[in-house]
């Protein structure tokens, strides 16, 4: 498992963030440019894996706002330019995962190493992010695929979530056990995606990552979606008083 921000290996995959971009994303997600309850990198990783594992494409307009805050329009953003930078890096991270998940030795969960005094332990935020991403799946996703494929996916999800849902087991598990659970998650995600590919579902669709220019006050109505892509109303985002 990736523990802390390990350096990226050289690879021909042009969608991978380099070390500087990876560190910038990690820093921005905990900065004053985003709401206080913004996902950190570990939770974002799990969240995007679930989004990408869906049999139906989940549009950025649906998943991106949840990255910044669980409180929707109550979110408060800092610097518009730094927020736009964060949006661009999140979209790039989405593309990185989209081109590595399910590939042999191409992906593993990103998790922070726990330290003494931490209230959260290895993998807890990752699996919480994954569970939040699952909530964006269509309620009837299993009605639109063959039953045998749907059952494989249901079983894979149950297998990877079960250890974390057992409070007694989760409390007693040491770090080594939690890393094993994350390895099960990698296998389960591979099984899920493996059901969609023969059916032509969940194709890789990369996002534009060009960072938008800071919008002028006249570029959007105050109650319209902010041009920066945050998913918030303009008055709650780049148009908010500083």
């Amino acid at each position: 498992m990736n523990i802390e921000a390990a350096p990226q290996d050289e690879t021909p995959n042009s969608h991978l963030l380099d070390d500087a971009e990876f560190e910038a994303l990690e820093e921005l997600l905990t900065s004053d440019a985003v709401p206080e309850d913004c996902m950190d990198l570990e939770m974002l990783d799990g969240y995007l894996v679930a989004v990408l594992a869906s049999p139906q494409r989940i549009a950025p307009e649906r998943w991106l706002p949840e990255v910044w805050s669980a409180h929707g329009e109550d979110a408060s953003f800092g610097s518009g330019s730094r927020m736009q930078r964060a949006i661009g890096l999140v979209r790039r991270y989405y593309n990185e995962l989209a081109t590595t998940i399910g590939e042999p030795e191409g992906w593993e969960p990103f998790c922070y190493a726990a330290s003494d005094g931490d209230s959260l332990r290895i993998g807890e935020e990752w699996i919480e992010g994954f569970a939040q991403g699952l909530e964006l799946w269509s309620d009837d996703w299993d009605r639109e695929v063959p039953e045998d494929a749907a059952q494989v996916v249901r079983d894979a999800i149950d297998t990877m979530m079960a250890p974390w849902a057992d409070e007694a087991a989760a409390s007693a598990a040491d770090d080594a056990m939690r890393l094993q659970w994350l390895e099960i998650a990698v296998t389960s995600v591979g099984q899920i995606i493996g059901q969609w590919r023969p059916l032509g579902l969940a194709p890789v669709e990369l996002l534009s990552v060009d960072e938008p220019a800071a919008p002028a006050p006249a570029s959007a109505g105050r109650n319209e979606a902010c041009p920066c892509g945050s998913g918030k109303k303009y008055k709650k985002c780049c148009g908010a008083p500083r």
Side-chain angles (χ1 to χ4, degrees):
M1 302 300 106
N2 283 327
I3 302 298
E4 297 292 358
Q8 304 278 2
D9 293 333
E10 291 187 3
T11 171
N13 186 345
S14 63
H15 299 291
L16 294 183
L17 275 67
D18 61 30
D19 290 345
E21 292 167 329
F22 190 86
E23 292 173 4
L25 173 59
E26 184 178 14
E27 179 181 351
L28 280 166
L29 293 176
T30 57
S31 72
D32 59 5
V34 297
E36 291 184 1
D37 59 343
C38 176
M39 293 180 180
D40 65 13
L41 190 53
E42 179 177 337
M43 183 176 291
L44 175 67
D45 190 273
Y47 177 69
L48 290 181
V49 169
V51 168
L52 286 161
S54 169
Q56 302 164 333
R57 181 177 182 272
I58 301 174
E61 292 76 15
R62 287 192 60 208
W63 61 259
L64 189 57
E66 300 297 322
V67 172
W68 313 123
S69 176
H71 302 297
E73 292 187 3
D74 294 331
S76 176
F77 297 101
S79 164
S81 61
R82 294 182 73 199
M83 183 62 194
Q84 291 158 20
R85 172 68 168 158
I87 291 169
L89 287 172
V90 167
R91 292 169 72 93
R92 285 204 58 196
Y93 196 58
Y94 174 98
N95 288 350
E96 173 176 323
L97 291 174
T99 53
T100 54
I101 291 174
E103 299 300 323
E105 300 182 1
W107 163 78
E108 57 185 22
F110 173 87
C111 293
Y112 289 110
S115 59
D116 293 341
D118 283 351
S119 59
L120 294 171
R121 299 169 65 188
I122 289 176
E124 286 187 357
E125 288 197 296
W126 191 92
I127 203 69
E128 182 179 343
F130 186 88
Q132 190 167 338
L134 282 180
E135 293 177 0
L136 298 182
W137 285 31
S138 170
D139 291 339
D140 59 355
W141 69 266
D142 54 352
R143 299 179 185 176
E144 301 184 12
V145 299
E147 177 54 28
D148 57 344
Q151 190 58 53
V152 169
V153 171
R154 286 192 290 264
D155 290 345
I157 292 173
D158 289 345
T159 297
M160 70 180 292
M161 301 297 288
W164 307 91
D166 185 332
E167 293 185 6
S171 178
D174 59 15
D175 290 348
M177 179 60 70
R178 288 167 175 270
L179 289 174
Q180 290 182 23
W181 292 351
L182 289 170
E183 290 176 359
I184 292 172
V186 172
T187 300
S188 296
V189 169
Q191 291 173 337
I192 293 169
I193 294 176
Q195 298 304 306
W196 308 146
R197 288 180 173 173
L199 300 173
L201 301 174
V204 174
E205 296 186 28
L206 303 182
L207 304 179
S208 168
V209 295
D210 293 335
E211 294 177 30
S219 66
R222 288 181 54 77
N223 290 314
E224 295 177 2
C226 187
C228 79
S230 67
K232 310 301 177 185
K233 290 183 179 180
Y234 179 73
K235 67 181 180 182
K236 294 284 188 177
C237 188
C238 293
R242 303 299 177 196

